[in-house]
Amino acid sequence: MDNRPIGFFDSGLGGLTSIPYLRRELPEERVIYFGDTARTPYGSKAVTTIRSFSTEIAEFLVKCNVKMIVIACNTVSATCLDELQKRFPKIPILGIISPAAEEAASVCEPGSRLGIIGTKVTIASHAYQEFIGRFDPQFRIYEEACPAFVPLIEEGIIDNEIMDMTIRYYMDDFVLGNQLDTIILGCTHYPLIKANLTRIYPGLNIINPSSIVIGQVKRILSERDMLADHSDFTDVFYASDLSENFINMIDHIFADSEEFNEKKVKFMNFDLEKERLNGLL
Ligand code: DGL
């Protein structure tokens, strides 16, 4: 048993899409979340930059004494997982791609046509192809970068014609032209536009890594006897730019959650420069 919190991080608010599944599956667990909202998006940046940002955040979470780190960001998982695991060998670090790849390999029928959508960096890395390839899939895989989705989602432009047009711009040829039957939401921001995708492409199966990763969290913690056993928690949400957008999005994502309605959570602004000067980073 281990009652320390689990650390989650993302380039912004995308990783928050995993938290309701954690609440549902493992209600006793407490969370420290870090959204790098001041430097989002990561998905069009150089890998060296993403590496240095994500190392800083992982170091911070380790200093917060988390028992496990979940990289709730496909872009970081695709590019920095091995390095973060090597750098922090004492703490389990889980990327979001491998659990989703395993799920895709098990649910897609032979002959399926599977699409992966994600940021430029995730798609260029072919990390999903590589992980799925380990299961010797009997289906075809297609990939498409959709870089304008994240800035729109961070701005809360979701239930809106601009978002629908952007989806069609990137995805009409991709989904319809390739006759896809299934897609993986290869960016943790994308579950926030799942309803748009279902409306625009009815009948398309959607695999959501933000929910699937929680099954792996549970497996790893129970194998190591590290599940928490009390529910007296306060989740803490750090953002490097604690903007109104970030707080509004938390309200939106957790609209049905009792803890959030009772405001049993803390929001903290994390001043990157100040913390760096203080030696915390
Ligand atoms: N949410 C992130 C992901 O899963 C990254 C978005 C971004 O910063 O570009 O890839």
Side-chain angles (χ1 to χ4, degrees):
M1 184 250 297
D2 188 335
N3 286 324
R4 289 176 301 158
I6 303 173
F8 280 74
F9 77 93
D10 178 48
S11 63
L13 51 82
L16 294 169
T17 54
S18 282
I19 309 298
Y21 299 102
L22 180 84
R23 287 270 73 85
R24 207 168 304 154
E25 195 64 31
L26 296 169
E28 309 301 333
E29 298 296 336
R30 193 159 73 85
V31 166
I32 295 186
Y33 181 92
F34 191 104
D36 199 1
T37 44
R39 302 187 290 198
T40 198
Y42 282 11
S44 309
K45 291 190 167 63
V47 171
T48 45
T49 307
I50 298 166
R51 200 164 284 148
S52 108
F53 291 173
S54 51
T55 305
E56 275 184 358
I57 297 169
E59 251 161 33
F60 170 68
L61 290 173
V62 168
K63 282 183 184 148
C64 290
N65 197 24
V66 296
K67 62 182 169 185
M68 173 181 197
I69 293 178
V70 180
I71 306 176
C73 176
N74 290 264
T75 308
V76 175
S77 303
T79 51
C80 311
L81 175 64
D82 292 348
E83 185 161 315
L84 291 174
Q85 286 174 331
K86 273 188 209 127
R87 199 173 176 118
F88 306 100
K90 292 198 186 125
I91 178 164
I93 299 186
L94 176 62
I96 197 161
I97 293 181
S98 133
E102 192 174 340
E103 170 80 3
S106 81
V107 300
C108 288
E109 303 284 338
S112 279
R113 302 169 82 86
L114 169 70
I116 320 276
I117 51 171
T119 65
K120 281 187 189 165
V121 169
T122 299
I123 297 304
S125 74
H126 302 298
Y128 271 98
Q129 289 226 27
E130 191 194 316
F131 276 103
I132 294 171
R134 296 180 190 173
F135 298 94
D136 190 21
Q138 303 299 307
F139 47 83
R140 295 191 58 175
I141 299 174
Y142 301 82
E143 298 178 292
E144 182 75 17
C146 308
F149 287 173
V150 168
L152 288 175
I153 293 168
E154 289 275 334
E155 274 308 314
I157 301 174
I158 291 174
D159 193 11
N160 187 293
E161 186 55 21
I162 297 173
M163 178 52 89
D164 287 358
M165 282 166 56
T166 312
I167 290 173
R168 290 203 173 94
Y169 168 75
Y170 285 120
M171 294 183 61
D172 266 2
D173 282 353
F174 180 61
V175 172
L176 307 173
N178 293 318
Q179 300 177 320
L180 301 181
D181 48 74
T182 305
I183 57 163
I184 297 182
L185 304 178
C187 169
T188 49
H189 284 69
Y190 298 175
L192 292 163
I193 55 168
K194 191 167 173 235
N196 309 51
L197 294 169
T198 307
R199 175 168 36 77
I200 298 171
Y201 307 111
L204 185 66
N205 300 316
I206 296 180
I207 295 178
N208 178 1
S210 297
S211 80
I212 293 159
V213 72
I214 300 305
Q216 283 278 37
V217 171
K218 187 174 181 181
R219 192 179 60 73
I220 292 171
L221 292 179
S222 54
E223 274 172 12
R224 298 176 185 223
D225 194 20
M226 286 171 74
L227 287 164
D229 75 342
H230 74 75
S231 57
D232 179 22
F233 62 84
T234 306
D235 291 323
V236 186
F237 293 88
Y238 286 96
S240 49
D241 174 16
L242 189 56
S243 60
E244 223 178 290
N245 280 354
F246 186 77
I247 294 175
N248 287 346
M249 191 52 78
I250 290 185
D251 281 347
H252 172 78
I253 292 175
F254 300 105
D256 300 331
S257 151
E258 248 173 59
E259 291 89 16
F260 281 79
N261 293 336
E262 288 168 14
K263 295 279 179 247
K264 277 163 92 182
V265 297
K266 265 200 261 175
F267 300 114
M268 308 280 283
N269 192 59
F270 188 91
D271 184 332
L272 289 158
E273 274 318 302
K274 203 169 113 205
E275 301 299 352
R276 197 172 284 125
L277 291 174
N278 286 343
L280 194 55
L281 292 180

